[in-house]
Amino acid sequence: MENNNWNFLLPYTFTKGITLKNRIVMAPMTTMSSFFDGSITRDEVDYYAERAGGPGMIITGVAYVVENGKGFEGELSIAKDTDIKGLSKIANAIHKNGTKAVIQIFHAGRKTNSKILRGVQPVSSSPIAATHPADSETPRELTHEEIDGIIQDFGKATLRAIQAGFDGVELHGANTYLLQQFVSPHSNRRLDQWGGSFEKRVRFPLAVIQKVASVIATHAKEPFLLGYRLSPEEIETPGIRLDDSLAFARMLGDTPIDYLHLSLANYKRTSLHETSDQEPLLDKFVQVMANKKPIIGIGSVERPEDAEAVIHSGAALVAIGRQLIREPKWVQKVEAGDSDSIRYLLSPSELDELQIPLAMQTYLEGSFREVMHFSTDVPEEDNYQKSLAPMEGFEKKM
């Protein structure tokens, strides 16, 4: 196929009027490279600048909205007004050649520990420890007042994102963090207005969406995107099953979000539990969200044919993660008809050249090694079409 016939290179316009120059999105990925207080480092700015200019939109690695929501060392902060100046440098770096900048925001909930929180006990919907990692700490159950406070914290973080010059925020409701913890019957055992029935378990993320949307409506002078990321299934019992996520997606279709971003390690993945059902999960969500909200498809998209397959499935946009670590100029090379020069392996000798921060290099060579296609390694056998991958909530953070 000639490069000018790839559908993923066509522009895309959201209903708010924001136009992406193409349909490639750089997925949010952990850099582990912020300072101890969550402020940005020059390494992070350089990392995003190296990958800007090609994708229509870049979503940053996740930023915590309040101090007790920090999930790991080296994580970006959007929890205080003093973060705005540094965050604006990331937004400016991403904006090169018309790329749009979205910052992902979250609260880690129980997916952290008291060492990272400097002696403070983690919090969650209920006092139930995560099953992964095995030594997870038991969190403290959030009070009604604290839940309301976190909803406000997401709103305050959104205002900071607007002031820093981003084009949108993405709520990280995937990979077992706090928004997902309220939805999950494993982590949410409450019997009040925030838990019990499915309708009550989804009340917290829906309240966060409404708060963020109200801040955008009040403070954004230009169109500003609101995205939501979702993991289709959990492996825990009890846990989120596909029917739960499809029902939640239907609800999300009636909220002010501008897109739904799935969290999948393989765009061809089928249900982890309903093994007889061979319809890809991406296809199911496309059907549920048809004529409601655009979907960002994702998962082991490496070659142009993969990206085209995701668009062909009905997804409006296609996110590329690890492949943009290996090859920052992926989009430019495809546009130029120079696909033969795309790196599909990551050489340890090229990590500095690729502007990968040192802390992130350690992370990739450790927790993420099995999914990074290092040129010095034997290729991994698991393509994560039938299983969860490390980045879906199982990797060991620093």
Side-chain angles (χ1 to χ4, degrees), residues 195-266:
S197 67
F198 173 75
E199 290 73 20
K200 290 182 177 180
R201 295 201 309 273
V202 299
R203 184 171 287 173
F204 175 68
L206 292 177
V208 170
I209 289 171
Q210 292 300 327
K211 179 60 183 178
V212 169
S214 70
V215 170
I216 293 171
T218 301
H219 295 283
K221 297 179 181 179
E222 303 289 338
F224 190 89
L225 296 173
L226 168 54
Y228 194 92
R229 198 166 199 206
L230 179 148
S231 291
E233 294 177 295
E234 291 181 334
I235 60 173
E236 293 85 359
T237 300
I240 294 172
R241 297 297 180 257
L242 180 57
D243 285 346
D244 300 321
S245 292
L246 291 172
F248 186 35
R250 291 187 188 95
M251 293 181 178
L252 292 173
D254 296 323
T255 69
I257 68 168
D258 295 294
Y259 67 81
L260 178 64
H261 185 185
L262 298 180
S263 180
L264 295 168
N266 192 309

Side-chain angles (χ1 to χ4, degrees), residues 166-178:
F166 284 92
D167 302 295
V169 294
E170 179 175 283
L171 301 176
H172 196 353
N175 299 357
T176 74
Y177 295 119
L178 186 64

Side-chain angles (χ1 to χ4, degrees), residues 5 28 41 62 74 109 131 136 191 199 268 295 305 315 352 396:
N5 288 330
T41 60
V62 74
T131 56
S136 296
L191 296 174
E199 290 73 20
K268 299 177 183 177
I295 282 184
E305 292 80 8
D352 289 338
K396 178 176 175 57

Side-chain angles (χ1 to χ4, degrees), residues 124-126 141-144 147 179-205:
S124 186
S125 49
S126 298
E141 181 173 290
L142 287 162
T143 66
H144 297 293
I147 292 171
L179 289 170
Q180 182 175 328
Q181 287 164 31
F182 267 86
V183 179
S184 173
H186 183 275
S187 45
N188 187 348
R189 313 288 176 93
R190 303 176 75 102
L191 296 174
D192 57 10
Q193 67 263 43
W194 302 108
S197 67
F198 173 75
E199 290 73 20
K200 290 182 177 180
R201 295 201 309 273
V202 299
R203 184 171 287 173
F204 175 68

